Amino acid sequence: MSVERSLVLAKPDAVKKKVVGKIIARFEDEGFKLLGLKKLKLTKEQAGQFYIVHKDRPFYDELCEFMSSGPIVAMVWEGENAIARIREIMGATNPEEAAEGTLRKLYASNIGENAVHGSDSVESANYEIPFFFSELELIG
Ligand code: DAT
Ligand code: MG
């Protein structure tokens, strides 16, 4: 067990549906500590840089269009095993496969517009957190 940080995004669909508060409340209820929080709108180019690992996937263009289609809320959450636990709370990428009670089961529309992002490894978090936050903006 180790204390980890995860970069979480409430995606444009979650902001439009006004469920950002419910997403934040869920992570608070699960005992995580909120270190950073901001609302912003990515350009398509910035979305492409954030999701650069997927550049050769067939859904990359659609993903970048969607992620730049409206404002998002970026957060950093900290806690024991935060990366795996947050992935579990989010549920499967495709909401049709997501377990009952997970954020994607509750709030996602489809596999593309799936409400939340969470870092999938320490390596990903180390790329994703500085993408949105400087160390000075992360307050424990
Ligand atoms: P996750 O977000 O669960 O880590 P991923 O890293 O495989 O999933 O993909 C990143 C995002 O890309 C995902 O949240 C939504 C979109 N995506 C993935 N697979 C897709 C598909 N088959 N069709 C459309 N969008 C997809
Ligand atoms: Mg991923």
Side-chain angles (χ1 to χ4, degrees):
M1 295 278 277
S2 58
V3 175
E4 295 171 343
R5 293 175 174 188
S6 178
L7 186 279
V8 172
L9 300 177
K11 295 186 180 184
D13 58 321
V15 175
K16 283 197 191 84
K17 284 183 184 173
K18 298 187 166 71
V19 294
V20 177
K22 293 186 194 307
I23 291 168
I24 292 171
R26 179 64 178 276
F27 291 123
E28 286 186 334
D29 290 347
E30 298 276 355
F32 296 103
K33 185 196 281 183
L34 182 61
L35 300 190
L37 176 76
K38 63 175 73 167
K39 184 179 183 188
L40 66 145
K41 188 169 184 288
L42 295 173
T43 65
K44 190 174 176 185
E45 289 67 33
Q46 289 168 330
Q49 276 306 117
F50 180 74
Y51 277 116
I52 196 73
V53 292
H54 294 312
K55 68 176 168 34
D56 297 324
R57 307 286 285 279
F59 56 80
Y60 182 64
D61 189 67
E62 181 191 339
L63 173 62
C64 298
E65 275 293 338
F66 168 61
M67 289 302 292
S68 58
S69 68
I72 61 173
V73 176
M75 309 158 224
V76 176
W77 291 94
E78 185 180 76
E80 286 284 347
N81 271 347
I83 290 172
R85 284 174 55 211
I86 285 174
R87 296 282 299 185
E88 211 170 298
I89 292 162
M90 284 166 44
T93 308
N94 185 348
E96 288 176 17
E97 293 162 13
E100 284 303 324
T102 60
L103 295 174
R104 281 167 166 170
K105 182 71 171 189
L106 289 165
Y107 307 126
S109 302
N110 55 62
I111 192 170
E113 305 197 359
N114 61 5
V116 281
H117 167 89
S119 303
D120 67 4
S121 64
V122 172
E123 292 67 35
S124 300
N126 286 343
Y127 175 73
E128 294 172 356
I129 292 171
F131 195 94
F132 289 101
F133 296 94
S134 74
E135 197 56 40
L136 282 174
E137 293 174 297
L138 299 174
I139 301 150

